[in-house]
Amino acid sequence: MKGKDLISVADLDVGDVRRLLERAQAMKMGEEGGAPLTGRTLALLFEKPSLRTRVSFDVAMYQLGGHAIYLSDAEVGLGRREPIADVARTIGRYVDGITARTFAQATVEELARHATIPVINALSDAEHPCQALGDLLTIYEKKGRLTGLTLAFVGDGNNVAHSLMLACALAGMHFRIASPHGYLVGDDFRRKAKALATASGGSILCTKDPVAAVRGADVVYTDVWTSMGQEAEAVERRRVFTPYQVTQELLSQAGPEAILMHPLPAHPGEELAPGLIDSPQSVVFDQAENRLHIQKAILAELLGR
Ligand code: CP
Ligand code: NVA
């Protein structure tokens, strides 16, 4: 990997993604054992709540022979109790890596700039790279390939959409996203993804029409309408996104073997019709499991150097 950190999917090239997926699969199958991070410690610096990310990083460190320390925002107060730069410079004297879940992308970037140790983005307002990489692993397992597949994202052009769009573009996939006016993916992300897709043989399509996005797709993906930090907009978002609910009817527009994905936590009755999480097409819990395997590969790469 180019740098010491994983802040954005754009920090990776095609070779990095391939290696991480192969290593995650080997770890999952028990083909790569051992304890490459014996004696290493990871700080989990979280400004927002988490189930999957927190538990899977903690377990990943344990399984790799290392140790994790969870630090809540109430304890650390990034930028409030003390400057972000000082937190980065202090914590680097004790631990070997930082996994940070922050409100602002600028905060995780600032941590990475001032820390001498690797910093991993565990979700910010702009990206969720560990989720996107785990999702590629899940799609690869379910479909046996990535190149040439079509993924349709229905909903908010949010952090999860940004990272997934970049990841699909790197993998030579066709990424389509249906979002209402005012909730599109960021222009910068779209430009970056288009450049990556041009190089990989993939493509990027942004539309307002969920059916146009989903038609014939191999993967249908959705995420919450209101992300952490946007709670004040929840009522307006529910109104705007109602036509973007993934229903059985919308899913039936996808390819016959299409899988349904969601990073979780899900809000049944909002972005997913009630019960759809239990449909035979849903792979959401395998998807959640793969966060562990991909993060073990990421940690072994970044902290095991
Ligand atoms: N998908 C995901 O990141 O879940 P958590 O917010 O529970 O970590
Ligand atoms: N977009 C969601 C993802 C949660 C894993 C959020 O940021 O809250």
Side-chain angles (χ1 to χ4, degrees):
M1 279 154 74
K2 276 175 273 183
K4 70 176 176 62
D5 309 303
L6 175 58
I7 303 299
S8 164
V9 173
D11 295 340
L12 305 173
D13 61 26
V14 184
D16 294 328
V17 172
R18 192 174 305 127
R19 202 172 53 256
L20 286 171
L21 293 181
E22 281 170 6
R23 207 159 176 194
Q25 276 186 304
M27 286 174 162
K28 185 171 180 176
M29 300 302 173
E31 290 160 10
E32 182 182 337
L37 298 187
T38 299
R40 300 284 167 108
T41 303
L42 178 73
L44 301 176
L45 205 52
F46 278 36
E47 289 186 324
K48 305 186 211 179
S50 169
L51 172 66
R52 281 144 289 271
T53 309
R54 176 181 174 176
V55 176
S56 56
F57 266 108
D58 194 333
V59 172
M61 281 304 286
Y62 174 74
Q63 291 185 359
L64 294 170
H67 175 65
I69 301 174
Y70 177 77
L71 297 161
S72 74
D73 188 46
E75 285 154 299
V76 179
L78 268 177
R80 293 192 316 280
R81 186 166 182 265
E82 63 186 304
I84 296 166
D86 290 0
V87 172
R89 290 183 293 181
T90 303
I91 217 168
R93 302 292 179 107
Y94 307 130
V95 303
D96 305 285
I98 301 171
T99 291
R101 169 166 286 196
T102 59
F103 282 100
Q105 176 78 5
T107 303
V108 68
E109 287 174 1
E110 193 172 344
L111 278 170
R113 234 181 0 262
H114 293 284
T116 53
I117 54 176
V119 175
I120 299 168
N121 181 353
L123 181 146
S124 69
D125 57 350
E127 281 213 48
H128 198 358
C130 300
Q131 181 71 53
L133 291 166
D135 293 344
L136 288 188
L137 177 60
T138 304
I139 297 166
Y140 186 76
E141 282 179 352
K142 301 291 175 190
K143 297 287 174 190
R145 68 187 171 112
L146 295 173
T147 308
L149 292 179
T150 297
L151 182 147
F153 188 107
V154 181
D156 191 16
N158 62 13
N159 45 10
V160 169
H162 287 155
S163 291
L164 192 60
M165 177 169 67
L166 292 168
C168 289
L170 271 171
M173 292 172 61
H174 304 290
F175 180 89
R176 303 182 194 151
I177 180 164
S179 322
H181 182 71
Y183 297 90
L184 309 181
V185 287
D187 288 342
D188 266 15
F189 285 100
R190 194 174 52 204
R191 264 194 299 276
K192 272 188 211 167
K194 281 206 163 170
L196 292 171
T198 302
S200 70
S203 64
I204 305 295
L205 173 81
C206 300
T207 171
K208 293 193 175 48
D209 180 356
V211 176
V214 166
R215 195 171 287 130
D218 302 290
V219 182
V220 177
Y221 199 115
T222 191
D223 184 21
V224 293
W225 293 340
T226 300
S227 285
M228 292 180 275
Q230 300 172 332
E231 289 77 7
E233 303 168 25
V235 171
E236 172 65 2
R237 284 174 169 269
R238 266 199 292 278
R239 187 185 68 73
V240 172
F241 280 101
T242 295
Y244 290 81
Q245 186 182 71
V246 176
T247 59
Q248 188 59 57
E249 193 188 347
L250 181 62
L251 197 53
S252 70
Q253 300 287 324
E257 307 285 316
I259 54 172
L260 173 65
M261 299 181 75
H262 189 306
L264 305 179
H267 296 151
E270 292 194 15
E271 74 277 3
L272 273 180
L276 213 53
I277 203 165
D278 298 313
S279 105
Q281 285 167 282
S282 164
V283 300
V284 301
F285 297 108
D286 293 335
Q287 188 184 352
E289 179 188 330
N290 278 335
R291 294 290 305 280
L292 170 66
H293 306 297
I294 199 72
Q295 286 160 197
K296 283 171 73 176
I298 294 167
L299 288 166
E301 286 278 323
L302 289 179
L303 271 64
R305 285 172 173 170

